[in-house]
C-alpha cells in the first residue's frame, strides 16, 4: 500500500511542476505581448493571395532563456495569433456574406461603421 501512496505523491508533484511550467510560459507570453514585441504583417504573394506573417522582435531577456522554453513560448504565441487571424477572417466572411445577401455589393472593409458589427 505504501508504494501506491508514493506513486500518487510523485504524480501530484509532476502535475504541480507541469502547472508551474505552463504558468511560466504563459507569463512570458503575456510579457512579450505587453511589450509589443509581436506584429502581424500582411503581404501579397505573386499569385495575388494575401499572406500574413507573425513578426517577433526578440528582447534581450528572451535570448537568455533556455531553448526549450523559447520554443514553447513561440509555439504558444504562434498558435494564439493564428487563432486570432482565423477568427477575424471567419467574422469577416460572415459579414461579407450578410452584406451581399442584403444587397450591399460594396466592400469598404470598414467593419463596424454601419452599425451591424461588420
Amino acid at each position: 500500500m505504501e508504494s501506491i501512496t508514493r506513486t500518487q505523491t510523485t504524480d501530484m508533484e509532476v502535475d504541480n511542476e507541469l502547472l508551474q511550467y505552463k504558468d511560466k510560459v504563459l507569463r512570458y507570453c503575456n510579457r512579450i505581448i505587453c511589450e509589443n514585441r509581436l506584429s502581424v504583417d500582411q503581404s501579397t504573394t505573386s499569385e495575388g493571395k494575401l499572406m500574413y506573417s507573425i513578426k517577433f522582435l526578440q528582447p534581450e531577456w528572451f535570448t537568455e532563456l533556455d531553448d526549450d522554453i523559447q520554443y514553447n513560448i513561440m509555439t504558444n504565441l504562434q498558435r494564439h495569433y493564428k487563432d486570432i487571424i482565423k477568427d477575424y477572417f471567419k467574422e469577416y466572411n460572415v459579414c461579407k456574406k450578410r452584406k451581399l445577401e442584403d444587397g450591399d455589393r460594396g466592400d469598404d472593409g470598414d467593419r463596424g461603421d454601419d452599425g451591424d458589427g461588420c
Side-chain angles (χ1 to χ4, degrees):
M1 185 91 171
E2 188 173 297
S3 64
I4 293 174
T5 304
R6 284 186 183 155
T7 302
Q8 289 173 344
T9 303
T10 303
D11 289 345
M12 287 174 40
E13 289 171 359
V14 169
D15 289 345
N16 189 35
E17 287 178 25
L18 181 61
L19 287 174
Q20 288 176 355
Y21 184 80
K22 287 180 177 183
D23 185 57
K24 185 177 183 178
V25 170
L26 177 64
R27 282 185 278 123
Y28 281 128
C29 289
N30 286 330
R31 183 174 176 184
I32 288 168
I33 292 168
C34 289
E35 291 179 3
N36 293 317
R37 296 295 185 162
L38 293 167
S39 64
V40 179
D41 294 341
Q42 177 182 319
S43 60
T44 305
T45 65
S46 58
E47 297 84 25
K49 294 182 180 183
L50 290 178
M51 183 174 77
Y52 292 87
S53 302
I54 301 169
K55 303 287 184 180
F56 176 53
L57 177 62
Q58 283 187 353
E60 186 175 333
W61 60 262
F62 183 83
T63 61
E64 296 170 1
L65 300 173
D66 69 64
D67 291 343
D68 289 335
I69 197 160
Q70 285 184 15
Y71 173 81
N72 287 315
I73 292 167
M74 293 310 301
T75 301
N76 279 278
L77 287 168
Q78 288 171 344
R79 185 179 316 122
H80 175 69
Y81 274 81
K82 283 181 0 184
D83 289 345
I84 288 172
I85 292 168
K86 282 181 193 176
D87 289 345
Y88 171 82
F89 280 105
K90 283 180 188 175
E91 181 181 332
Y92 175 80
N93 288 331
V94 167
C95 288
K96 188 174 179 178
K97 181 179 178 184
R98 185 181 313 135
K99 285 185 176 190
L100 288 173
E101 290 171 352
D102 291 343
D104 182 5
R105 299 283 184 237
D107 184 12
D108 54 12
D110 62 0
R111 291 179 36 107
D113 288 347
D114 54 6
D116 66 354
C118 295

